[in-house]
Every structure is written in structure tokens, then in C-alpha cells.
């Protein structure tokens, strides 16, 4: 019998394949060529061009299992049985081929004969005026009239504005009165008794601007069956969340926390939200989406942050969502196989995003909780928009997150006040931009005035580092001056110059400008209004406009910069060869002493990959390729296969830099004459700087030699410190590590012994509260294991008691609670007690009724937290 989600999906596709349908893979969640959609949100969404006739379908009959995302009801996810942000829709489609009779009869055949659902539990709804559908269900299928329920336009007519539209017919499954008997437990209601499992849309009309429904010459069929819903019926689960499409993720999180799935309503919601959102985020990221502050990127960010926040309710204080990706990939492999291929990338993005969020979440949450607590104490029910905006502006709390948390406390948020503050901020930013733009525009004008005085090919630094030229401009604080004297700083403009101006990641040249009467040092060279501007300090004499000078670039500095710049080209090519063609430069810094290269890639590089990349670059260096430059038309350069560099603006003509057959890029920077001039190339670090962006830092030439020598010196110093030879250093470190582990075990044993010796002393602190024995104690520097053992020993010595122990350490506190069997029967539960206690100390946790543990991030509140235990005992005993 068909039961699993994978079996249902395959059975559906096989069934419609037998009916002459072309079976297509699920489209990616990110829509292609459809700016009207953030996400693929229905099975028909990828086929809109076929439905509107703008494209010819590959076949007139198609069936798919389509992954979908919808977030319009996100606040209900986890709180109801069937709301999801990610779900799978089974659908069969006809583009001007078959129509109602086939769609209806095949639908009935599939649910009754393939899925073997009990016909007596199936109900049909149709549009009240659709006599054709009624006759097919009644006469062809053979359903009694009372099983076919007519409904109005709102329930059973599909239409979005003008254009194609038509009536619907839905198949519902009756789960019985035990599933619900409220007013909503009726056909078309929001209750859990009647489940709509399949919607058949008959697109037969075109709704005109004049308000007329005209028959379409080519009628279409669009159906959608919810896989999760069908699975819940066949697997006989209470909700979709207990099916094999979701429950394994929940089970993994339960295993990680130790808190039962159904411990209380809060835990149920938390587990369901996490399981749902990790499916959405994981599959969306594998389909090309990345977290950001706008559009679909913001949706991903919101899902991750929402799941992370619910994770805190279960005690997670560090990133954990990335650990669920492998289980998710296994579950969705039948519809989203790319997730399994991109595990490392998806994990990296999730972990990076969660780490970023957690940094600001702690502070923001504490402030928000204080705000809500104050509101409650003052019997107020609305959080001011100004306060919500402060959370957004300072701690990155989006309004919806603040609303979610506030709603849980029964507090509303003043949205209008928030929007007012947001509008005021936009106004301030706009005014600042206008002011900045004005001042910048004025500055640009000043420098642009020199364009006419500059020689046409005024940069001569590709071929020479010296130039006889003339000073045509001097400026201080963006104002023209006639001269600069010793000790003064300013900007200097030459008729032509060998100094390279900062551009494309390469920093500007430094050097000397001089004649017999003065000497100025160039500390940087930049471009303003496309004019080369030398930032200078006068060292000797004074300099005036119109003076003839000699401009000299520092040779060694330029050469060192050229080595690093040429190395970035080799590195770019090596990255593409090792990691794949998806690698693209997204930023760079080329300096005399190092290079920094940012590139698109979605996982940390392995040691093996880094070694291979480094070896490829050094091999290209040793090949000593000639570095050739040519100026080409942009189209010709592209045809040659030249790669464009980040940050460069290209005109009609471009400069092509070619290094043998290994590398060819468009680049305006300065380079070595042959790759052998680079000398040596060494990667010194690799890191992630944003989701999907990595960074490599490296050195070349003499700086590479300095790096090697410094590492060798460090090795020798470390060996001397550990009283061994460099060749024996590894073995010595292993020996010390073993000694440290032995000492740690010895220390742990002593801690356990010390804790046990305190047993009798602690028992003397046993007190009676409302007839209940209670023991609370605050200890120092005991780990989880020692604290649990001590708790167990104390529990063994008493017949009846509630015991709560706490141990403070560096920036944290841990709690362990236990309750004897007789008190559990009276309503005392260790898990409930520990959860409330830990919350006071800035943490959370839980466990079984007889034993539970938790952690907190505020050890300074340990005493206050333990004081809560007495209040809880009095409340329950009372």
C-alpha cells in the first residue's frame, strides 16, 4: 500500500505518465523571467507562458511535483495543522487538450484506485453554476447528489483580475467527527475535519475589461494536490507535521535538545516552525536565493531568523539550523535533488546568517522584553512605534519580528508610529544625500576644470616611472591656490603623469615631484572627475602653478604592487579551474605588501583546494609567461574571451592583459613584464566575508620570502620554548596534549569528589515550603556531569523533595533540577520548573518531569533565579 511521501509522489507521476502526460522536474523556487513573482508559489506558476499562449508547451499534457513557497500566512505556521511556508504541489495540466471529463474522472480514479482512499469519506465541491461538472461527477463517476456540494464564487471560482479564469471542483477528505466538531469543521471551513486535498481548475473563460466572461477557444486544466495533506491521510497522522515529509526533522531537533516534542504548546510550535522554515530556507538557497535585506532575500533572512528565534525557546544559544540540512536534503531528494549536491554551500549560508543574527538578537531581545514587561506592569497593550523603530534601527529587528514576539505577550505594536519614524529617517537620509551630492558635485566641478589643460594621453606610467611635466593645478581643502610651501599639504595636478591613480582595486602610486627649488612627496594618487590628483606634502622649498618639474614614482613600491596585481589575474584563473566557472571576482585590493581577492563561492575552501590553487599559480609563475597588453574594441575583447574585472568601467576601447595561454582579462592596472617577475606566491588566509562570498589574502615576491622566514622563525622559537627540535615539534605537542587530557580527567575526578563531599552539608539546607521539601543551592565551577551526579546523590538521600542546583562559571550558569515521584503526581515537574528558573538568568531549557537541565547567559542573576523556585513551589502547592 502507498504510504510514504516519496511513494505518493512517484505514484502520481506514474499515473499521469500512463495518461499521456510529459513528466517534468520541479522548477527552481526562484522564478525565471517572471518579475511578477518572488517565488514559485503554485504548480502552475512555471507554466504561465503556456497558459497565456505566449509560449508553445513541449507537450499539451504535462504533470509535475512542484516545490513551492508561500509566506502570506507565516504567522500561522506551527500553530495550525496544515499551514506551511514550503510545500509540494502535485499537478496535472492540459494546454488546450483534455478538459473537465478527463480531469474529473482521472482525479477520482487516482484517489480511489491508486491511493485507495475510502470513497465514502470523499466529498466533492463544485461552482454552483457549473452544471457540466455536476453531471460528470454524478453521471460519469456515479456519486450521489448529496455528495456533490455547490459553492459560490468565493470558494469555487478561480479568477485574478481580467484574463483567463474558470470554475473549480475540489476533492475533500472527511477525517471524521473526532478530528473536529467546531463551526469551522464543515466543507470549505478552516477546521481539521474536512481536508481539501485536490483542486481542479477548469480555465474556460476570458474575463474582459467590460466585465464579460467569454468562452476561451482553447480551454485549459490546472490542478493542484497538496502532497503533505495526502501524506497525513495515508499515514494517519494528526497533522502534516507528523508525516515522513517533516517529522524526521522534528525528531532530529528533539534529539539535539532532549525536550519532548509535545512537552507543551510552546515546544510544539517551536519544533514545527523550525522544521517548516528549514525546508523553505534550505531548498531556496540551493535554488540560488541568498539572504539579504530586500525581495526574496529578505524572505529567506526572515525565515532563518524566525527559526533561530524559536530555537532559543528550545535552549539553542549557538547556530544549529545548518545541522538540519542533511536530514532535510534526504527528505526532499525526490523533488529537490540539488540540495544534496550543495550541502556545504547551504550549510555555510545558514550558519553565517544565523551567527550574524545571534550577535544582535541577544541585546535586542533583552531590551524588547524589558519594554514588554514595563507595558504589562502599566496595564498598557500597545508598544509605541518609536520603540519598535529603535529596535529596528539599532539592533536590526524587523517590524514583523518585534510584532511576533510582542504578540506572544499579548501586546500590539503601533505600526503607524513605526512607519512615521521610518519616513522621518528616509527624509533625513535623503537630505543628507542631497547635501553630500551637492558638495561632491561642487568639488567635481573644480577638478573637472583642469581636464582641458591635461594632455590627451596624460598617464605615461605603463611604460615609464619618470616624466618631465608641468604643474597645472594646486588645491587645498578643495579650493584652488597659487602655491604650496614647506610643511603644507594639498592636491597637485600635472599636465601628464607616470603616477597610477587608485582604481580597480590597485592602490595609487607614491613618489617624488621635484626641481632645483623644491621637493614634494606624493603620499597617494587618486582620480577626481577623471583627473589624476596627486596628494602631496611639501618637503623642501615652495611649489607654484606653471612650474616645470620631474615626477618620479617609487620604483620598488610600484614593482611590488605590479607583482601582486599580476598575481590576482593568475589567482582568478586558478580559482575557476579548481572550484568551477561560477567563481567571479567581487572585489580586490592590490597593494605593495599584499593582495586581497574576494570571489563568489559558497563554501570554505579545503586545505587540498587551497594547496592546488597555490600550486597552479606558482606553476604559472615558473612558466614565466610574457605579459602582453593590447587595446581592443570592447566587442572584440569579449569575443577573444577576456574576463572583465570587478569595479572597472569599460568604454568603447579596453585594455586586454594576456599572460601566455593561462589568463586573459580586461584591466587598466599595472603589471610585471613576465610572470616570473612575481617570484613566489603564498596564500596566507582564506575566509568568508558574506553569504556566498569568500576572501583570499596572499603575498608575492620579497613579502612571500618575509612570510616564509617569519614562519620558520616562529617554528624555531616554539620548538625552543617546548625544549625540543623543530623536527620533533609535532610529537612534543601531542605529548603535551595527552598530559593535559590526563590532568583534566584528574581534575574532573577531584571535582566530582568535592561535590560529593558537600552532600551532607547541602542536605542540612533542606527546607519545607507549604509541606514540600525544597533544596536549592548555588555552587561554583561544576560542569554538567558533576552537577547532575550531585543532584542524583541528594535525591537518593531524600524520600520526597524538589531539588534545584546551580553552578556558575565564566559568563554562564547551568541549572539541574529533580523531583521525586510522589511530588510529580502532585503537579511538580522538573522540566517546567527549570524552564522558568533559567529564563530569569537569560537562558532556557527543559527535560523530563523527574529530571531537567538548563543554561543561562547571566550568572549574576543566579541567586534571583533560584529564588523563583520557592515561588513556584508555593504556587503549585497552594
Amino acid at each position: 500500500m502507498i504510504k510514504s511521501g516519496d511513494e505518493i509522489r512517484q505514484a502520481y507521476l506514474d499515473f499521469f505518465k500512463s495518461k499521456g502526460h510529459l513528466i517534468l522536474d520541479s522548477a527552481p523556487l526562484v522564478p525565471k523571467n517572471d518579475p511578477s513573482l518572488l517565488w514559485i508559489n503554485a504548480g502552475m506558476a512555471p507554466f504561465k507562458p503556456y497558459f497565456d499562449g505566449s509560449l508553445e508547451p513541449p507537450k499539451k499534457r504535462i504533470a509535475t511535483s512542484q516545490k513551492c513557497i508561500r509566506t502570506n500566512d507565516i504567522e500561522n505556521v506551527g500553530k495550525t495543522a496544515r499551514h506551511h511556508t514550503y510545500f509540494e504541489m502535485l499537478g496535472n495540466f492540459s494546454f488546450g487538450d483534455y478538459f473537465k471529463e478527463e480531469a474529473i474522472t482521472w482525479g477520482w480514479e487516482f484517489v480511489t484506485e491508486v491511493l485507495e482512499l475510502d470513497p465514502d469519506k470523499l466529498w466533492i465541491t463544485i461552482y454552483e453554476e457549473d452544471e457540466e461538472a455536476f453531471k460528470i461527477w454524478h453521471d460519469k463517476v456515479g456519486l450521489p447528489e448529496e455528495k456533490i456540494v455547490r459553492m459560490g464564487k468565493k470558494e469555487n471560482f478561480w479568477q485574478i483580475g481580467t484574463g483567463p479564469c474558470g470554475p473549480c471542483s475540489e476533492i475533500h477528505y472527511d477525517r471524521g467527527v473526532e478530528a473536529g466538531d467546531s463551526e469551522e469543521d464543515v466543507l470549505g471551513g478552516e477546521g481539521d475535519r474536512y481536508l481539501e486535498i485536490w483542486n481542479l481548475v477548469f480555465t474556460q473563460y476570458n474575463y474582459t475589461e467590460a466585465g464579460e466572461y467569454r468562452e476561451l477557444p482553447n480551454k485549459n486544466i490546472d490542478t493542484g494536490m497538496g502532497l503533505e495533506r495526502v501524506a497525513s491521510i495515508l499515514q494517519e497522522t494528526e497533522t502534516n507535521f507528523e508525516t515522513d515529509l517533516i517529522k524526521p526533522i522534528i525528531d532530529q531537533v528533539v534529539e539535539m535538545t532532549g525536550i519532548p516534542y509535545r512537552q507543551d504548546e510552546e515546544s510544539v510550535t517551536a519544533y514545527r516552525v523550525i522544521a517548516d522554515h528549514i525546508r523553505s530556507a534550505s531548498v531556496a538557497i540551493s535554488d540560488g536565493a541568498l539572504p539579504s535585506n530586500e525581495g526574496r532575500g529578505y524572505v529567506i533572512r526572515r525565515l532563518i531568523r524566525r527559526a533561530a528565534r524559536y530555537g532559543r525557546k528550545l535552549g539553542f544559544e549557538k547556530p544549529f539550523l545548518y545541522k538540519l540540512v542533511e536530514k532535510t536534503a534526504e527528505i526532499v531528494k525526490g523533488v529537490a535533488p540539488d540540495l544534496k549536491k550543495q550541502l556545504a554551500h547551504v550549510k555555510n549560508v545558514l550558519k553565517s546568517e544565523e551567527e550574524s543574527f545571534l550577535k544582535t538578537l541577544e541585546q535586542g531581545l533583552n531590551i524588547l522584553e524589558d519594554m514588554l514587561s514595563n507595558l504589562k506592569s502599566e496595564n498598557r497593550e500597545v508598544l509605541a512605534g518609536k520603540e519598535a523603530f529603535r529596535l529596528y534601527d539599532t539592533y536590526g529587528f524587523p517590524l514583523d519580528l518585534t510584532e511576533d514576539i510582542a504578540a506572544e505577550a499579548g501586546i500590539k505594536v503601533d505600526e503607524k508610529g513605526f512607519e512615521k519614524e521610518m519616513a522621518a529617517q528616509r527624509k533625513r537620509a535623503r537630505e543628507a544625500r542631497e547635501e553630500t551630492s551637492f558638495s561632491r558635485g561642487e568639488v567635481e566641478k573644480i577638478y573637472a576644470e583642469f581636464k582641458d589643460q591635461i594632455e590627451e594621453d596624460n598617464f605615461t606610467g605603463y611604460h615609464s616611472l619618470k616624466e618631465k611635466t608641468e604643474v597645472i593645478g594646486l588645491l587645498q581643502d578643495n579650493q584652488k591656490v597659487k602655491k604650496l610651501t614647506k610643511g603644507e599639504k594639498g592636491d597637485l595636478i600635472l599636465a601628464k603623469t607616470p603616477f597610477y591613480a587608485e582604481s580597480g582595486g590597485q592602490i595609487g602610486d607614491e613618489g617624488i615631484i621635484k626641481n632645483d627649488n623644491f621637493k614634494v612627496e606624493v603620499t597617494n594618487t587618486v582620480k577626481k572627475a577623471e583627473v589624476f590628483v596627486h596628494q602631496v606634502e611639501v618637503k623642501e622649498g615652495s611649489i607654484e602653478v606653471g612650474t616645470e618639474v620631474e615626477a618620479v614614482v617609487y620604483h620598488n613600491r610600484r614593482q611590488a604592487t605590479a607583482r601582486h596585481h599580476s598575481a590576482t589575474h593568475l589567482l582568478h584563473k586558478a580559482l575557476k579551474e579548481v572550484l568551477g566557472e561560477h567563481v567571479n571576482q567581487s572585489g580586490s585590493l592590490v597593494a605593495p605588501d599584499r593582495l586581497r581577492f574576494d570571489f563568489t563561492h559558497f563554501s570554505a575552501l579545503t586545505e587540498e583546494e587551497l594547496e592546488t590553487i597555490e600550486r597552479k599559480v606558482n606553476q604559472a609563475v615558473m612558466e614565466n609567461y610574457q605579459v602582453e597588453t593590447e587595446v581592443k574594441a570592447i566587442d572584440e575583447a569579449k569575443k577573444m574571451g577576456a574576463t572583465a574585472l570587478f569595479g572597472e568601467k569599460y568604454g568603447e576601447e579596453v585594455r586586454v592583459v594576456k599572460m601566455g595561454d593561462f589568463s586573459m582579462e580586461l584591466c587598466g592596472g599595472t603589471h610585471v613584464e613576465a610572470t616570473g617577475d612575481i617570484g613566489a606566491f603564498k596564500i596566507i588566509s582564506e575566509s568568508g566575508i558574506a553569504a556566498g562570498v569568500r576572501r583570499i589574502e596572499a603575498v608575492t615576491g620579497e613579502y612571500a620570502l618575509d612570510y616564509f622566514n617569519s614562519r620558520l622563525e616562529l617554528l624555531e622559537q616554539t620548538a625552543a620554548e617546548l625544549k625540543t627540535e623543530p623536527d620533533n615539534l609535532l610529537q612534543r605537542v601531542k605529548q603535551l596534549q595527552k598530559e593535559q587530557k590526563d590532568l583534566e580527567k584528574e581534575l574532573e575526578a577531584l571535582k566530582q569528589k568535592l561535590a560529593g563531599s558537600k552532600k551532607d552539608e547541602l542536605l542540612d539546607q533542606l527546607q519545607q515550603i507549604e509541606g514540600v521539601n525544597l533544596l536549592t543551592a548555588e555552587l561554583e565551577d561544576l560542569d554538567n556531569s558533576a552537577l547532575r551526579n550531585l543532584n542524583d546523590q541528594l535525591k537518593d538521600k531524600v524520600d520526597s523533595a524538589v531539588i534545584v542546583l546551580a553552578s556558575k562559571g565564566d559568563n554562564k550558569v547551568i541549572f539541574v533540577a529533580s523531583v521525586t515521584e510522589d511530588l510529580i503526581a502532585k503537579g511538580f515537574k522538573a522540566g517546567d520548573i527549570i524552564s522558568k528558573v533559567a529564563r530569569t538568568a537569560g537562558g532556557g531549557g527543559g527535560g523530563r518531569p523527574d529530571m531537567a537541565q538548563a543554561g543561562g547567559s547571566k550568572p549574576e542573576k543566579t541567586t534571583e533565579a533560584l529564588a523563583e523556585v520557592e515561588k513556584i513551589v508555593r504556587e503549585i502547592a497552594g
Side-chain angles (χ1 to χ4, degrees):
M1 182 179 177
I2 295 169
K3 272 200 172 184
S4 76
D6 285 345
E7 289 172 342
I8 298 167
R9 182 193 306 110
Q10 195 57 52
Y12 182 89
L13 298 176
D14 288 345
F15 176 81
F16 280 99
K17 186 176 182 180
S18 73
K19 303 298 184 185
H21 289 66
L22 172 66
I23 308 302
L24 295 179
D25 292 337
S26 171
L29 285 169
V30 178
K32 291 184 178 179
N33 305 318
D34 189 352
S36 68
L37 290 177
L38 270 185
W39 304 104
I40 294 298
N41 58 8
M44 61 77 65
F47 304 130
K48 282 168 64 177
Y50 303 155
F51 280 114
D52 65 22
S54 59
L55 280 180
E56 185 74 22
K59 193 170 182 178
K60 289 191 173 183
R61 298 181 181 187
I62 289 176
T64 63
S65 181
Q66 177 62 48
K67 49 195 175 184
C68 304
I69 282 184
R70 291 181 191 172
T71 57
N72 50 311
D73 290 325
I74 192 171
E75 68 279 355
N76 291 322
V77 173
K79 298 174 184 176
T80 69
R82 326 249 164 243
H83 278 98
H84 302 293
T85 59
Y86 173 91
F87 59 95
E88 201 171 326
M89 188 175 285
L90 304 168
N92 57 287
F93 310 94
S94 168
F95 308 105
D97 187 17
Y98 64 83
F99 199 48
K100 287 184 189 178
E101 183 171 334
E102 293 87 345
I104 289 172
T105 55
W106 289 343
W108 186 256
E109 180 185 349
F110 181 74
V111 297
T112 58
E113 295 183 22
V114 179
L115 298 184
E116 300 181 27
L117 296 183
D118 183 352
D120 292 338
K121 293 185 177 182
L122 296 173
W123 290 77
I124 306 301
T125 61
I126 62 171
Y127 175 49
E128 57 192 357
E129 297 178 11
D130 193 354
E131 294 302 328
E132 184 183 3
F134 175 81
K135 288 179 181 178
I136 296 169
W137 281 115
H138 186 267
D139 299 340
K140 292 282 185 181
V141 176
L143 291 181
E145 187 172 344
E146 61 271 17
K147 277 277 189 174
I148 308 166
V149 180
R150 295 175 185 267
M151 290 192 169
K153 242 183 184 181
K154 182 180 177 183
E155 295 85 4
N156 278 74
F157 196 95
W158 182 84
Q159 180 177 347
I160 302 176
T162 58
C165 58
C168 311
S169 183
E170 298 168 339
I171 303 175
H172 299 257
Y173 183 84
D174 182 2
R175 299 174 69 235
V177 70
E178 61 274 12
D181 59 358
S182 70
E183 291 182 2
E184 286 295 331
D185 285 293
V186 294
L187 282 173
E190 292 294 323
D192 290 330
R193 176 174 176 176
Y194 293 96
L195 290 189
E196 176 205 329
I197 60 172
W198 205 348
N199 186 15
L200 315 176
V201 180
F202 312 125
T203 312
Q204 64 187 90
Y205 300 114
N206 182 51
Y207 185 65
T208 67
E209 294 283 356
E212 297 176 317
Y213 290 95
R214 294 183 177 174
E215 287 275 347
L216 286 168
N218 293 313
K219 298 177 175 63
N220 303 320
I221 290 293
D222 162 23
T223 83
M225 172 185 276
L227 179 63
E228 288 83 1
R229 291 190 175 201
V230 177
S232 75
I233 294 170
L234 293 176
Q235 295 171 26
E236 299 178 344
T237 61
E238 183 180 346
T239 76
N240 294 358
F241 291 94
E242 286 81 48
T243 68
D244 67 344
L245 295 167
I246 305 174
K247 187 61 162 45
I249 302 172
I250 293 175
D251 290 341
Q252 184 181 350
V253 185
V254 168
E255 189 177 329
M256 292 162 71
T257 64
I259 300 172
Y261 170 39
R262 294 188 180 276
Q263 176 173 284
D264 50 40
E265 190 175 332
E266 191 177 68
S267 70
V268 169
T269 300
Y271 280 121
R272 289 178 177 178
V273 168
I274 290 166
D276 172 88
H277 289 10
I278 194 63
R279 295 204 310 165
S280 301
S282 297
V283 179
I285 292 167
S286 73
D287 277 352
L290 287 173
S292 68
N293 282 329
E294 56 187 26
R296 67 178 61 92
Y298 177 69
V299 174
I300 296 298
R301 175 158 286 166
R302 185 183 180 194
L303 289 167
I304 295 170
R305 290 182 169 187
R306 210 164 177 268
R309 188 172 65 79
Y310 274 95
R312 285 177 64 85
K313 294 176 182 290
L314 297 173
F316 289 108
E317 294 181 355
K318 293 181 179 178
F320 73 99
L321 294 172
Y322 72 97
K323 297 178 182 178
L324 307 177
V325 178
E326 288 186 46
K327 180 68 70 178
T328 304
E330 184 61 31
I331 292 170
V332 302
K333 65 181 184 295
V335 70
D338 285 347
L339 178 54
K340 202 158 191 175
K341 298 173 186 174
Q342 297 190 53
L343 284 177
H345 161 51
V346 176
K347 284 182 179 180
N348 180 55
V349 173
L350 284 168
K351 190 175 183 183
S352 172
E353 182 66 20
E354 198 175 353
E355 281 174 344
S356 173
F357 178 51
L358 291 176
K359 286 176 185 176
T360 56
L361 181 64
E362 184 70 36
Q363 279 182 295
L365 274 177
N366 291 337
I367 290 171
L368 177 54
E369 285 169 5
D370 288 343
M371 289 177 181
L372 298 176
S373 178
N374 291 337
L375 286 173
K376 283 189 167 183
S377 66
E378 297 168 7
N379 291 319
R380 291 161 58 200
E381 297 180 351
V382 179
L383 178 69
K386 196 167 188 176
E387 298 295 339
F389 181 77
R390 181 160 71 92
L391 286 166
Y392 166 80
D393 199 35
T394 308
Y395 300 103
F397 264 48
L399 178 62
D400 52 63
L401 178 58
T402 301
E403 286 177 325
D404 281 350
I405 299 170
E408 290 169 7
I411 302 290
K412 294 181 180 178
V413 178
D414 175 15
E415 286 189 42
K416 288 184 178 178
F418 177 88
E419 289 301 331
K420 184 179 177 182
E421 293 294 325
M422 181 69 84
Q425 187 198 55
R426 290 192 191 106
K427 184 182 178 184
R428 289 192 297 271
R430 185 170 59 251
E431 288 171 349
R433 281 197 304 271
E434 287 169 356
E435 183 178 338
T436 303
S437 296
F438 172 78
S439 54
R440 185 180 296 138
E442 292 301 303
V443 169
E444 292 281 308
K445 285 180 185 176
I446 294 170
Y447 286 90
E449 290 176 13
F450 294 101
K451 280 186 178 179
D452 293 339
Q453 302 174 52
I454 292 171
E455 296 185 15
E456 187 174 349
D457 295 321
N458 76 307
F459 176 62
T460 61
Y462 287 135
H463 311 294
S464 172
L465 297 185
K466 289 183 181 181
E467 188 65 54
K468 297 284 187 181
T469 182
E470 177 188 353
V471 178
I472 61 172
L474 293 171
L475 300 96
Q476 274 187 316
D477 299 322
N478 299 318
Q479 298 295 322
K480 293 179 183 177
V481 295
K482 290 184 177 179
K483 73 175 182 177
L484 295 173
T485 59
K486 185 176 180 179
E488 288 187 318
K489 295 180 181 179
D491 290 349
L492 184 152
I493 301 169
L494 299 171
K496 56 182 177 178
T497 179
F499 286 82
Y500 181 84
E502 182 179 325
S503 179
Q506 180 176 330
I507 67 172
D509 279 336
E510 296 178 7
I512 297 293
I513 298 175
K514 61 182 180 178
N515 69 10
D516 294 339
N517 302 317
F518 67 84
K519 178 181 178 182
V520 301
E521 184 174 26
V522 178
T523 56
N524 194 16
T525 311
V526 297
K527 281 184 184 178
K528 294 183 181 180
E530 296 304 307
V531 173
F532 282 58
V533 177
H534 309 79
Q535 297 173 346
V536 301
E537 180 178 356
V538 182
K539 295 296 185 180
E540 298 173 14
S542 63
I543 183 170
E544 297 183 9
V545 175
T547 308
E548 294 290 329
V549 298
E550 182 181 34
V552 183
V553 176
Y554 288 145
H555 176 271
N556 290 343
R557 188 176 183 277
R558 164 70 83 81
Q559 191 64 12
T561 303
R563 290 189 191 99
H564 285 106
H565 201 152
S566 296
T568 64
H569 287 221
L570 301 179
L571 174 60
H572 195 181
K573 179 63 174 178
L575 285 166
K576 284 181 174 288
E577 288 190 353
V578 176
L579 303 179
E581 285 299 318
H582 66 277
V583 170
N584 284 303
Q585 181 178 342
S586 61
S588 71
L589 171 70
V590 178
D593 59 341
R594 72 194 189 283
L595 70 85
R596 187 179 72 212
F597 193 83
D598 301 338
F599 58 97
T600 53
H601 187 59
F602 306 118
S603 62
L605 274 63
T606 65
E607 287 296 325
E608 184 181 359
E609 286 171 335
L610 286 170
E611 186 179 333
T612 304
I613 290 162
E614 188 174 273
R615 191 174 295 278
K616 278 184 174 289
V617 174
N618 280 307
Q619 182 63 42
V621 170
M622 289 186 287
E623 291 290 339
N624 199 28
Y625 296 123
Q626 283 299 118
V627 177
E628 302 170 296
T629 60
E630 292 181 276
V631 176
K632 296 280 187 182
I634 183 69
D635 291 340
E636 186 181 353
K638 287 179 179 178
K639 287 177 183 177
M640 290 168 62
T643 303
L645 281 181
F646 176 82
E648 289 292 319
K649 294 179 181 178
Y650 301 112
E652 290 301 310
E653 290 191 330
V654 292
R655 188 166 177 262
V656 180
V657 179
K658 188 172 180 288
M659 300 180 185
D661 295 328
F662 189 76
S663 168
M664 181 165 57
E665 297 190 358
L666 307 184
C667 180
T670 63
H671 292 275
V672 295
E673 293 182 0
T675 57
D677 296 341
I678 294 170
F681 173 84
K682 178 62 186 173
I683 294 173
I684 57 175
S685 72
E686 188 274 338
S687 60
I689 59 169
V693 181
R694 309 296 301 177
R695 170 173 289 173
I696 280 179
E697 296 193 62
V699 288
T700 68
E702 62 188 289
Y703 294 97
L705 292 175
D706 289 345
Y707 180 83
F708 296 139
N709 288 332
S710 68
R711 288 291 174 253
L712 182 58
E713 185 179 345
L714 179 63
L715 181 69
E716 290 172 343
Q717 287 175 349
T718 305
E721 195 71 26
L722 296 179
K723 296 181 173 57
T724 187
E725 294 298 318
D727 289 347
N728 299 328
L729 185 57
L730 182 59
Q731 192 59 37
R732 178 62 175 146
V733 169
K734 288 181 178 179
Q735 179 189 342
L736 289 172
Q737 286 175 330
K738 183 179 182 303
E739 290 174 8
Q740 182 183 352
K741 284 181 181 178
D742 291 342
L743 288 170
E744 286 172 352
K745 286 180 183 177
E746 189 177 335
L747 178 61
E748 180 61 30
L750 288 170
K751 281 186 178 181
Q752 296 276 10
K753 189 174 180 181
L754 179 62
S757 70
K758 291 187 177 183
K759 180 175 54 182
D760 294 334
E761 180 186 330
L762 291 173
L763 286 171
D764 291 339
Q765 298 176 29
L766 199 67
Q767 56 180 322
Q768 274 213 341
I769 306 295
E770 302 285 347
V772 175
N773 287 329
L774 172 64
L775 173 58
T776 61
E778 187 175 324
L779 304 157
E780 298 282 345
D781 290 325
L782 291 183
D783 62 15
N784 278 334
S785 176
L787 203 62
R788 280 198 307 270
N789 287 339
L790 179 56
N791 193 297
D792 291 342
Q793 291 174 32
L794 291 168
K795 190 177 177 183
D796 289 341
K797 288 289 184 180
V798 294
D799 295 325
S800 174
V802 172
I803 302 171
V804 181
L805 304 180
S807 176
K808 293 192 294 184
D810 292 336
N811 301 317
K812 69 176 182 178
V813 56
I814 53 176
F815 298 94
V816 173
S818 63
V819 177
T820 52
E821 290 293 333
D822 62 312
L823 294 178
I824 293 173
K826 294 180 181 180
F828 293 89
K829 295 179 181 177
D832 293 346
I833 294 170
I834 205 80
S835 177
K836 293 175 183 176
V837 170
R839 201 172 297 147
T840 303
R848 305 187 306 271
D850 62 324
M851 199 285 288
Q853 62 186 53
S857 59
K858 300 177 181 177
E860 69 276 9
K861 292 201 172 186
T862 303
T863 304
E864 183 184 337
L866 288 175
E868 288 291 319
V869 183
E870 184 176 332
K871 295 178 188 176
I872 296 167
V873 170
R874 288 187 186 280
E875 184 180 330
I876 297 173

